[in-house]
Amino acid sequence: MRSHSTQIPESSKLSWMLLPTKKNTDAVQSTTDVLTKAGYIHQSQSGIYTLMPLAQRVVTKITQIITEEMERVGGQRMSMPSLLDPEAWKKTGRLKSTGSELLTLTDRKGAQHILAPTHEEEVTGIVKSMVRSYRQYPLRLFQVTQKFRDETRPRAGLLRAREFIMKDMYSFDVDQQSAISTFHAVEQAYRACFDRLGVPYIVAEADSGNIGGKLSKEFHFASAAGEDTVLTCKCGYAANEERAQGRGAQGVHVYSMVGDEDRSVVVPAMRRPNMLKIKQVWPDCGELTLERKMGEEVTDLRRRIALAGSSGAHKYLVDSAVNGLEIDRIEDIKVAQVGDWHTAQSGDACTKCSTGTLESQTAIEVGHIFYLGDKYSDALDLLVQHDGKWLPVQMGCYGIGVSRVLQAAAECSSSSRGLRWPVSIAPYLATLVPLNGNMEHATSVFATLSNICVDNVRVFADNVIVDDRSYLSPGFKLNDAQLLGIPITVVLGQKFKQSGHVEVQLRVPRLELGTCVAGVEVQGDGYEYKAFVHVDRLAEFLVGALEGQF
């Protein structure tokens, strides 16, 4: 039978929580395995997961941070339906371009619906039906909701799932200048979000993909578990591999389009043509085949391009990183379009500075922002009369994968020893583990922890969990404390009975402590720190050890 206590709320007791932890091992295992063993997630089907109570607390904290920053930049939270009418998707062309990734269903009346992967069409229709004047702009509308995608091969737990939680915001402005200002304002709000989430991140220039638009940036966590490659330079330049620009080896490779011998792409030697970039000017471009390799002597190629300019028979895309072609003269030839047409790679010279070299990092995309322009407003006839003209409203969209952030944060700091959550999104800040008959003293220590203040805020309130599971051994409880990744573990052991000292274990990503904090000796290996602290000095010690974390 469960006993009720008026001092430690049932919601703060592990005995009342559905926490199906499993024995952890030192064997190499995926983060999805660790999250499952720690009782955070449960796989219901391929690519579909239940978020257990601890994971839901992490999601709630992530959502709260995002909501605060979106509202700070003028966002209004709303909730749109998950079942969407495909007619608007036909008008924008995305019903066809998205293809088999769309999850659809037919109701009993034969009407078709889309299970929403995103809401550009829906929110555009809402604004069109409700906004009557340019004076009602700008608008910044956002939601945090379930999304759906028919993944061909779901994998990596919440990173590539068929159902996921996402924050998406949509902006509406009367002109391009205002819309781009909104884009940059939301970018700063995103930086504030990720600063608060507590995981190092990269902001990279990116391709807009199927969403569309003319300007986009991605937010990444660097991790070997990622599927993206980001190229960075010490000067601060960062871009997705699909978008990055770099200068490579001497020499030239000429590629011809299969089935169209009158179009060629000229790129630096040892570099692949970038199909995403090329399709922006040649949407019908199919397979390219290597036509010829050339060294530093490219006089013959220069002549061929000049000849094509006079005859108009052959068209070229000439990469601006190619040496020796006298690019400034080629730019005047109408059949030759100069630009960035190759895929940059690690070791290339940075084009943004004179000394840097690009370095490659594998990363997890956790956020993406787009300036859409009039892609959706034009297709769906969302117009505004401004300065005497009717013009399409300028739009932007901004996404953060909330459930993706949960797993990505775990990927960046977990090990075979367990999870380690950043302080800002940990399900609880502290777990209290009474051993050796010390449960009777747990109430007073719980109160001490719950009343710790930082800048006059009780940061530990509703953030302490007590392991009161009397049916488990001390070893199992301590193993669970490490597995769950809660930043602070306070153990009431034999020393507490003898002298009032508790054992404090700190597992906080990127925490660096010296050998003494607040007059207390600390031991640690960078992954975990331990100290024996008298209960009367517990608050002082924790505030000192975690300075700057709240």
Side-chain angles (χ1 to χ4, degrees):
M1 294 290 291
R2 291 170 171 167
S3 59
H4 292 266
S5 169
T6 58
Q7 296 173 302
I8 300 177
E10 275 74 20
S11 60
S12 296
K13 295 178 179 179
L14 280 181
S15 63
W16 282 73
M17 183 178 292
L18 180 57
L19 184 64
T21 58
K22 300 177 183 179
K23 184 178 179 181
N24 199 22
T25 67
D26 291 331
V28 176
Q29 52 194 331
S30 70
T31 301
T32 302
D33 291 335
V34 176
L35 286 168
T36 302
K37 289 182 177 181
Y40 281 84
I41 61 175
H42 170 75
Q43 185 172 0
S44 300
Q45 302 176 46
S46 174
I48 300 176
Y49 289 84
T50 296
L51 299 181
M52 303 302 287
L54 284 181
Q56 186 57 50
R57 284 185 65 95
V58 176
V59 164
T60 298
K61 291 189 175 184
I62 294 170
T63 301
Q64 182 62 29
I65 289 172
I66 294 171
T67 298
E68 289 174 3
E69 296 302 333
M70 293 303 100
E71 290 180 344
R72 193 167 283 129
V73 79
Q76 304 172 67
R77 188 167 177 177
M78 61 192 300
S79 181
M80 289 180 278
S82 293
L83 289 178
L84 304 181
D85 186 346
E87 287 304 313
W89 284 65
K90 291 178 183 177
K91 292 179 181 179
T92 61
R94 288 211 300 168
L95 188 67
K96 181 178 180 180
S97 64
T98 306
S100 59
E101 283 194 356
L102 276 181
L103 275 168
T104 60
L105 59 86
T106 303
D107 65 21
R108 67 180 67 190
K109 297 180 181 179
Q112 289 190 323
H113 305 275
I114 296 170
L115 276 171
T118 184
H119 280 81
E120 283 80 7
E121 286 84 356
E122 183 71 15
V123 74
T124 303
I126 291 170
V127 173
K128 179 182 177 181
S129 68
M130 294 185 174
V131 176
R132 295 289 178 262
S133 168
Y134 73 91
R135 295 182 180 89
Q136 293 173 268
Y137 294 106
L139 286 173
R140 297 170 186 177
L141 309 172
F142 78 98
Q143 62 177 351
V144 181
T145 188
Q146 305 291 118
K147 304 282 191 177
F148 303 88
R149 180 170 51 226
D150 194 1
E151 287 285 353
T152 304
R153 188 169 62 89
R155 56 199 178 277
L158 303 178
L159 294 184
R160 185 64 71 177
R162 303 178 74 198
E163 180 180 0
F164 49 96
I165 303 171
M166 184 174 174
K167 187 284 304 179
D168 46 328
M169 184 161 86
Y170 305 92
S171 64
F172 300 83
D173 288 275
V174 296
D175 55 41
Q176 182 179 24
Q177 182 179 354
S178 300
I180 291 177
S181 294
T182 294
F183 177 90
H184 292 304
V186 177
E187 179 186 348
Q188 293 307 310
Y190 265 51
R191 289 177 184 271
C193 281
F194 287 105
D195 285 343
R196 292 177 62 184
L197 290 174
V199 180
Y201 64 94
I202 303 167
V203 184
E205 296 179 8
D207 181 76
S208 294
N210 189 47
I211 295 291
K214 305 170 184 178
L215 176 65
S216 92
K217 291 187 178 182
E218 294 171 343
F219 290 74
H220 294 268
F221 292 164
S223 169
E227 296 181 329
D228 286 275
T229 299
V230 177
L231 294 171
T232 62
C233 176
K234 62 183 180 181
C235 72
Y237 173 72
N240 190 297
E241 182 184 40
E242 299 167 343
R243 183 67 182 268
Q245 299 181 15
R247 294 187 179 277
Q250 298 290 326
V252 176
H253 283 181
V254 181
Y255 287 81
S256 294
M257 188 187 302
V258 174
D260 187 348
E261 296 180 354
D262 291 330
R263 284 191 280 181
S264 298
V265 181
V266 181
V267 297
M270 309 305 294
R271 297 297 180 267
R272 292 178 291 108
N274 187 309
M275 295 304 295
L276 282 173
K277 298 174 183 178
I278 293 168
K279 282 181 175 291
Q280 290 177 4
V281 292
W282 291 347
D284 60 338
C285 182
E287 183 182 353
L288 295 173
T289 182
L290 181 61
E291 175 187 336
R292 61 190 300 190
K293 300 179 181 180
M294 306 178 69
E296 295 184 32
E297 179 51 55
V298 292
T299 304
D300 180 56
L301 178 61
R302 190 163 58 241
R303 289 197 191 102
R304 287 172 57 190
I305 295 174
L307 182 61
S310 61
S311 66
H314 200 107
K315 292 182 172 59
Y316 288 89
L317 295 182
V318 181
D319 200 292
S320 58
V322 171
N323 293 311
L325 274 180
E326 299 179 4
I327 294 296
D328 56 336
R329 294 175 62 183
I330 287 178
E331 286 178 324
D332 295 330
I333 301 175
K334 293 183 179 180
V335 298
Q337 187 167 344
V338 176
D340 175 41
W341 311 117
H342 74 282
T343 300
Q345 64 186 48
S346 182
D348 283 359
C350 178
T351 60
K352 301 299 181 181
C353 68
S354 58
T355 59
T357 300
L358 298 182
E359 295 182 3
S360 174
Q361 296 187 64
T362 304
I364 302 170
E365 181 188 337
V366 288
H368 204 150
I369 60 176
F370 304 83
Y371 161 56
L372 298 172
D374 59 6
K375 174 180 171 64
Y376 295 92
S377 55
D378 187 42
L380 299 173
D381 201 29
L382 172 60
L383 306 177
V384 61
Q385 187 178 28
H386 186 53
D387 291 337
K389 298 179 181 179
W390 285 96
L391 296 171
V393 171
Q394 297 292 301
M395 292 175 57
C397 69
Y398 315 87
I400 295 178
V402 176
S403 51
R404 194 174 175 89
V405 166
L406 183 154
Q407 175 137 358
E411 293 281 0
C412 292
S413 58
S414 67
S415 73
S416 59
R417 296 161 71 174
L419 299 165
R420 288 193 307 167
W421 294 107
V423 167
S424 61
I425 62 173
Y428 294 92
L429 290 179
T431 177
L432 180 58
V433 185
L435 304 176
N436 303 319
N438 280 315
M439 188 62 206
E440 61 183 284
H441 302 292
T443 302
S444 62
V445 180
F446 176 85
T448 297
L449 288 167
S450 298
N451 288 313
I452 292 176
C453 288
V454 176
D455 296 330
N456 296 318
V457 177
R458 294 174 61 232
V459 293
F460 282 78
D462 191 37
N463 264 311
V464 181
I465 191 78
V466 179
D467 194 344
D468 63 329
R469 297 174 295 177
S470 57
Y471 51 87
L472 294 179
S473 68
F476 200 102
K477 289 183 178 182
L478 292 174
N479 284 335
D480 261 11
Q482 185 174 74
L483 177 62
L484 295 177
I486 294 171
I488 304 163
T489 300
V490 178
V491 182
L492 306 186
Q494 193 63 34
K495 283 196 174 185
F496 183 78
K497 281 187 173 182
Q498 295 171 352
S499 61
H501 283 75
V502 299
E503 180 183 356
V504 179
Q505 302 171 2
L506 300 173
R507 303 181 189 92
V508 180
R510 292 164 296 284
L511 180 65
E512 296 181 4
L513 296 180
T515 57
C516 184
V517 174
V520 176
E521 181 183 352
V522 177
Q523 296 181 337
D525 57 6
Y527 183 91
E528 177 184 64
Y529 294 93
K530 294 183 179 181
F532 285 97
V533 185
H534 194 278
V535 68
D536 292 341
R537 301 192 60 193
L538 182 57
E540 178 188 4
F541 173 80
L542 290 177
V543 171
L546 299 177
E547 183 178 2
Q549 294 285 331
F550 299 106

